Amino acid sequence: MAKKRLQNFQAPPIIATALSAALMLTGCNNAEDEPDDSAAENQQLTNIGISLAAPGLISGIDPANVSGVEVDLVVDLSKQMDVISDSEEVSWVPAENSQVADQLETGELDLVIGQITAVNLEDDIAWVGPYISVEAGLLVRSGTSPENESSQDYIAHGAVGSLDDLEDAAVCVVAGSLADGAQIPADEHTKQQTVSACETGMRSGRYDAIAADDVQLAGLLESSSTPEAYEMLLWSDLAADGDEDIPEQLQTSGGYWMGTTPEQCEATAAALKQLISDGVVRELFSQWDETLDYVPGLIEADDVTTRHCSD
C-alpha cells in the first residue's frame, strides 16, 4: 500500500523543481556512494631514508614493504617524538649517501637510518647517536655443509679459520662498514654496496669471506636459511691467535648514527635516550641472543650525543 502511494504521488511543479535543486546541492545523486580519497591524499607522511639489502636490519625489495630491527627502531622513535601514531604514516625512501644532505635540507627526508658509521658523518647533516656499537667482523664458511649443498646457489669451499687461511682468500668488503678502506690481509678483496650482494657472491663461490660490521653479519645470519653454513669471527680474535699485524681500523669499535634536520636534532636525541632507558632498543635486538648466541654492543642512554645540530 505504501509503495502504491509513492508511485501515485506527484509533486507540484514548483516543489519538484526545488527538490531537484536540493538534491543537486546536497550531492544526493549517488555521490555518497563514491569513496572520498581526499583525506588519504592529504595525509602527512614522515619520510625516512633507508639503506636496503641489510637482512635483519633493513631489507625488502619494495621500499613500501620493508622490515628489520632498524625499521622497528625508527618507527618507535617517531612514535616517541609524537611525529606518527602508526607505521602506516611512514614513507620509506631508498637513500644514497651523496644525496642525503640535500634531501634533508629540502624537506624530502625527515630522518635517515641505515648502518651509518662515524666516518660517514658529513658536516652539513645533524647527527644523533650512536644507537648501537659495532665491531669489524668476518663471515666465513663454517665447514658444515647445508642440506642443499648440491643446489646451484651454494658452492662449498674450504673454510677460513685463521689469518694463514685468509692469505689466499677472496674477501668481499661491505661499503661503509668499518672494514671499508682498511688494508685487508687477504690475497684479494672486492667492495660491494650491501652485505646481501656479498653473501650472494659467497654462495656462488666468488668470495671466501665477508668483511663487514658484526651487526650486519649477525643480521645476515639471523635471516639466512642456512645459518649453519657460516661462522662469524671478530678481527680482534684473529689478531690474538696470529702473529701478523692487523690494521687498527679492523680492531676499532664504532657506532651507528641517525641523520636528521637541525630543527629536530635535540628532540630526536631525547627520544632515542628515552627508548634506550625504557629498554626498547635492547628488546628489539634481543631476538638475536637466542638464535645466534650473539649479544650486540648496546649503548647507554648517557652515551647518546649529537653532532652538527646547530642551525
Side-chain angles (χ1 to χ4, degrees):
M1 187 69 175
K3 182 177 179 181
K4 184 176 180 180
R5 287 177 179 172
L6 286 174
Q7 291 174 336
N8 292 335
F9 174 76
Q10 293 184 3
I14 296 178
I15 297 178
T17 302
L19 182 60
S20 297
L23 288 173
M24 293 177 64
L25 289 173
T26 57
C28 291
N29 52 343
N30 295 328
E32 69 275 7
D33 296 332
E34 299 178 3
D36 184 6
D37 295 330
S38 59
E41 292 176 355
N42 295 329
Q43 182 183 20
Q44 186 67 37
L45 297 177
T46 296
N47 300 313
I48 299 178
I50 54 173
S51 299
L52 289 173
L57 295 169
I58 300 177
S59 60
I61 299 176
D62 180 6
N65 186 23
V66 294
S67 62
V69 175
E70 288 183 319
V71 170
D72 296 336
L73 172 60
V74 80
V75 167
D76 288 339
L77 182 81
S78 299
K79 289 180 178 179
Q80 180 67 36
M81 297 172 64
D82 290 328
V83 174
I84 66 171
S85 58
D86 188 87
S87 60
E88 297 298 322
E89 299 170 29
V90 174
S91 174
W92 304 103
V93 183
E96 299 290 338
N97 288 342
S98 60
Q99 302 173 357
V100 165
D102 291 338
Q103 290 174 303
L104 285 168
E105 184 177 1
T106 59
E108 294 178 63
L109 294 179
D110 301 299
L111 191 67
V112 178
I113 192 172
Q115 304 101 67
I116 303 168
T117 59
V119 296
N120 306 123
L121 306 188
E122 302 175 24
D123 292 347
D124 49 359
I125 296 177
W127 297 104
V128 173
Y131 54 88
I132 193 167
S133 176
V134 298
E135 291 186 63
L138 192 69
L139 192 73
V140 299
R141 297 183 181 88
S142 67
T144 302
S145 299
E147 294 179 0
N148 62 341
E149 176 184 337
S150 59
S151 66
Q152 294 182 354
D153 66 347
Y154 185 91
I155 300 177
H157 285 258
V160 174
S162 67
L163 289 176
D164 291 338
D165 297 332
L166 197 60
E167 289 181 359
D168 299 324
V171 178
C172 184
V173 180
V174 177
S177 68
L178 294 176
D180 187 6
Q183 188 61 43
I184 305 293
D187 182 56
E188 62 177 279
H189 47 86
T190 304
K191 185 189 297 188
Q192 293 282 6
Q193 292 302 308
T194 66
V195 68
S196 292
C198 283
E199 199 264 342
T200 299
M202 193 167 175
R203 281 190 284 113
S204 65
R206 285 183 290 140
Y207 309 123
D208 301 300
I210 302 173
D213 300 328
D214 60 341
V215 175
Q216 292 173 317
L217 298 177
L220 181 64
L221 283 172
E222 195 272 336
S223 303
S224 175
S225 59
T226 57
E228 70 279 3
Y230 302 113
E231 178 184 0
M232 183 169 65
L233 306 175
L234 297 179
W235 288 100
S236 54
D237 294 335
L238 289 173
D241 295 337
D243 297 329
E244 185 177 341
D245 291 335
I246 293 179
E248 184 178 352
Q249 182 176 339
L250 295 176
Q251 302 182 66
T252 303
S253 62
Y256 284 170
W257 293 66
M258 302 178 192
T260 184
T261 62
E263 297 79 12
Q264 291 294 322
C265 194
E266 296 297 341
T268 303
L272 179 57
K273 289 181 179 181
Q274 191 62 52
L275 291 183
I276 293 174
S277 298
D278 292 343
V280 174
V281 178
R282 178 181 297 276
E283 184 177 353
L284 288 174
F285 283 96
S286 65
Q287 56 186 311
W288 295 356
D289 296 352
E290 300 177 1
T291 57
L292 302 178
D293 191 26
Y294 165 79
V295 180
L298 298 175
I299 296 292
E300 297 294 333
D302 292 340
D303 294 329
V304 173
T305 185
T306 59
R307 293 191 184 182
H308 319 307
C309 263
S310 59
D311 294 355

